[in-house]
Amino acid sequence: MKKIFNKKNHFVIVITCFLMLAAGLTFFSKTFYYSRLPEVTVVVPAGGKLKNIIEGSSLVTYQRTQPYYSRQDGYCKAVYVEEGEQVAAGQLIMELETDLETVAALELEQQQKEQEIQLLQLELQKEKNMNPQADTQLGQEIFRLETKLQELNKTKADLEADTYTSPELEACKLDITYGKMVHEDALNQLEAGTGTQTEVNAAIYQLYKAQNQYDACLESLKKENTEAIKTSEEELAALQQESTSTGADSGYLKTKLQFQIENAREELNQIKANRTAAENPQLTAKADGIISGINIQPGNYVEKSTLLYELAADSQSYQVVIPVPAEKIQYVVPGNEIQAEIAGLSDAIKGTIKEIKPWGEDGGQYQAIIWLEDMQENPVGRQAQVTITHTGKEYSAIIPKAALKKDTIGYYVLAIKKSDTIMGEGYIAQRVDVDLLDSDDELCAISGMIYLEPVMLTSSKSVVNGQQVRIS
């Protein structure tokens, strides 16, 4: 009986050891199996809004300044003000040394111009005495054409400087202004969730179209002006060749002499002004304001037309100008608020985007002009760090950019789904094709997922569709 009992105990022990060994082997096999699977981190798509951020830094300056230039050569004798100083109209700003050679040269130039005018007046009087009735129609027509050519050349200069105005150009400018308003409204609608990116793109296209129409109109006016100048020059040459009679020549000559006298008088007035400035080299403020910049120091040699100083009429208006990448220009909307951190100030400053303008010789670059608000102290010359934040509309599925993948077929994510395997419950990566709706620097909005389930963010190894993985 005792022998039978011992056999039973021995059998139980053997069975127990076998089961424990099997369990251990199973656990070890399962652990070993899972350890060889790619380890992934996951993220669950969530609703929200994208934020595009544009950052830039620049020195704070005044919004509006007036430059003042030297009217003759010489040395700077003294500067009586400092940058940032408030000045009143008539206040002494700086003094240049009297250049005796310049004064003598201007005095001689004045005498020569006065003699020139006297000779022209004598010649005109001579023509009047010789031919009192010589103001012929031909002479008047020649003078008219010369006057017209002067006006056409003035128009040409205005067109080149883009300062010419006409009903056609004004209409194009109105279209540009309207296009900016439509663009801004489309961006606001997109941000509020009631508009689409397609509408924003259409507004951008309309704005560019209006700008192109303005450029085309400007080029057309330049072409018409060039042709008119050529025609008038040809007509004038023909009339001058025709004016062979003494009366016609005399009538034209009288008109020409009168014109030369008027020009000489204007030149004489300018010479007198330059001489007065050279003899009295003290420069005073032309208006109330604040000195926004001084370009010379005592002892510096100053050439004619050198920038001396700049005066800001409004000492309470400040601005910052920062570069904006072309790919982010749609997120910079005139009228929107910004945040700026200014060196030396503890609190952030609010500002408003005033204007966007092209920048750089190669094109494709832009500058944002930002006006600062509610400044309690003068920040001019300090470094400002500007942050422009554009918040888009609400999306139902937003994921990190790292979770979005792309191949020749298109965009997709790897959804991590639970799955039963021979080793028990596990996870499988399954491809889900999606559409990219929008993105910012870190996140992207997608559509195409029926259920918002975890998607793979990172993995320890390369993962393909249908592969089993383990979650970190």
Side-chain angles (χ1 to χ4, degrees):
M1 190 73 178
K2 187 175 181 181
K3 189 179 286 188
I4 295 172
F5 179 75
N6 288 336
K7 287 182 177 180
K8 288 182 177 181
N9 286 342
H10 180 72
F11 178 75
V12 170
I13 291 172
V14 171
I15 292 299
T16 301
C17 290
F18 175 77
L19 292 175
M20 290 178 64
L21 178 61
L25 289 172
T26 301
F27 176 78
F28 177 76
S29 299
K30 187 174 183 180
T31 302
F32 179 75
Y33 173 75
Y34 279 117
S35 68
R36 296 176 62 84
L37 296 177
E39 183 179 17
V40 301
T41 60
V42 298
V43 62
V44 179
K49 297 181 179 181
L50 299 176
K51 288 186 177 181
N52 284 279
I53 297 176
I54 299 96
E55 295 181 323
S57 64
S58 177
L59 295 178
V60 180
T61 61
Y62 293 100
Q63 289 178 12
R64 292 175 290 271
T65 60
Q66 176 65 45
Y68 291 91
Y69 300 90
S70 172
R71 300 175 69 174
Q72 70 277 328
D73 299 342
Y75 284 89
C76 177
K77 182 178 181 180
V79 177
Y80 299 104
V81 295
E82 297 180 351
E83 288 189 12
E85 183 177 337
Q86 185 78 39
V87 297
Q91 181 176 336
L92 184 60
I93 303 296
M94 59 180 59
E95 185 175 0
L96 305 180
E97 288 187 358
T98 301
D99 188 339
L100 297 180
E101 291 184 1
T102 300
V103 172
L106 288 170
E107 183 178 2
L108 178 60
E109 188 177 355
Q110 178 180 337
Q111 293 174 356
Q112 292 174 340
K113 188 60 66 174
E114 289 172 343
Q115 291 174 358
E116 179 185 339
I117 293 173
Q118 289 176 358
L119 290 174
L120 289 170
Q121 288 175 331
L122 288 173
E123 191 172 351
L124 176 61
Q125 188 60 45
K126 178 181 176 182
E127 288 298 321
K128 288 182 177 180
N129 293 337
M130 290 178 59
N131 299 283
Q133 305 297 328
D135 292 328
T136 64
Q137 183 177 357
L138 182 59
Q140 294 174 1
E141 182 65 16
I142 290 175
F143 179 72
R144 184 191 68 79
L145 279 173
E146 286 188 330
T147 304
K148 180 181 178 181
L149 270 173
Q150 288 183 347
E151 294 174 351
L152 288 171
N153 284 314
K154 174 64 168 57
T155 299
K156 180 180 179 180
D158 290 342
L159 286 169
E160 293 298 333
D162 200 12
T163 57
Y164 182 75
T165 59
S166 72
E168 298 91 344
L169 286 178
E170 291 303 314
C172 290
K173 288 180 180 179
L174 287 175
D175 290 340
I176 293 174
T177 301
Y178 177 72
K180 289 180 178 179
M181 294 173 58
V182 172
H183 177 225
E184 181 178 353
D185 182 65
L187 286 173
N188 291 336
Q189 294 291 338
L190 179 63
E191 182 177 349
T194 57
T196 64
Q197 185 63 45
T198 300
E199 293 172 339
V200 173
N201 294 338
I204 293 175
Y205 171 76
Q206 196 65 29
L207 182 57
Y208 285 156
K209 183 178 178 182
Q211 183 64 53
N212 289 336
Q213 288 176 340
Y214 175 82
D215 294 339
C217 183
L218 188 63
E219 287 302 317
S220 177
L221 288 173
K222 288 181 179 179
K223 183 178 179 181
E224 291 177 4
N225 176 260
T226 301
E227 292 175 351
I229 290 176
K230 181 180 178 181
T231 301
S232 296
E233 287 175 342
E234 292 173 351
E235 291 178 2
L236 179 60
L239 287 176
Q240 288 174 337
Q241 187 174 3
E242 182 182 345
S243 61
T244 56
S245 68
T246 304
D249 286 341
S250 181
Y252 164 69
L253 184 57
K254 286 169 60 179
T255 305
K256 183 178 181 180
L257 286 170
Q258 290 172 341
F259 182 71
Q260 289 176 338
I261 290 171
E262 292 301 320
N263 279 346
R265 284 173 176 167
E266 291 182 6
E267 292 171 357
L268 178 61
N269 291 334
Q270 184 62 49
I271 293 171
K272 287 181 178 179
N274 292 341
R275 181 181 173 183
T276 300
E279 293 174 340
N280 302 281
Q282 292 185 337
L283 306 178
T284 58
K286 302 300 182 183
D288 295 345
I290 192 166
I291 302 298
S292 59
I294 297 176
N295 195 46
I296 61 169
Q297 298 298 325
N300 291 162
Y301 181 75
V302 180
E303 294 182 349
K304 184 178 180 180
S305 301
T306 297
L307 175 65
L308 300 177
Y309 69 96
E310 292 182 283
L311 184 69
D314 184 358
S315 60
Q316 302 298 317
S317 300
Y318 313 105
Q319 69 176 18
V320 177
V321 181
I322 65 168
V324 178
E327 63 271 17
K328 292 193 174 183
I329 191 66
Q330 60 181 315
Y331 304 120
V332 183
V333 182
N336 282 5
E337 286 190 351
I338 61 94
Q339 292 287 331
E341 295 181 359
I342 299 177
L345 301 181
S346 57
D347 297 330
I349 301 299
K350 289 183 179 180
T352 302
I353 302 172
K354 181 63 178 178
E355 182 184 358
I356 307 296
K357 63 179 183 180
W359 174 59
E361 297 179 357
D362 300 332
Q365 302 179 76
Y366 298 88
Q367 282 184 328
I369 301 174
I370 297 161
W371 287 9
L372 303 179
E373 303 169 357
D374 302 327
M375 298 297 301
Q376 301 301 317
E377 58 182 284
N378 190 331
V380 169
R382 298 185 185 182
Q383 193 74 16
Q385 182 68 34
V386 176
T387 301
I388 301 174
T389 303
H390 180 272
T391 303
K393 69 177 185 179
E394 185 81 25
Y395 291 103
S396 60
I398 292 179
I399 59 173
K401 280 186 171 180
L404 182 67
K405 306 184 182 303
K406 186 180 182 182
D407 58 15
T408 56
I409 299 175
Y411 290 103
Y412 68 95
V413 295
L414 288 175
I416 306 303
K417 300 176 178 289
K418 286 185 177 182
S419 176
D420 293 329
T421 69
I422 58 173
M423 301 300 293
E425 187 179 78
Y427 297 93
I428 290 180
Q430 181 176 325
R431 176 186 177 120
V432 178
D433 292 323
V434 296
D435 293 320
L436 175 62
L437 302 178
D438 198 0
S439 65
D440 58 22
D441 294 333
E442 298 178 356
L443 305 174
C444 57
I446 60 173
S447 65
M449 295 190 71
I450 300 176
Y451 305 105
L452 295 183
E453 51 194 342
V455 298
M456 188 181 80
L457 181 61
T458 64
S459 64
S460 60
K461 301 177 183 179
S462 177
V463 178
V464 297
N465 182 34
Q467 184 174 354
Q468 193 170 6
V469 298
R470 61 189 175 97
I471 296 179
S472 173

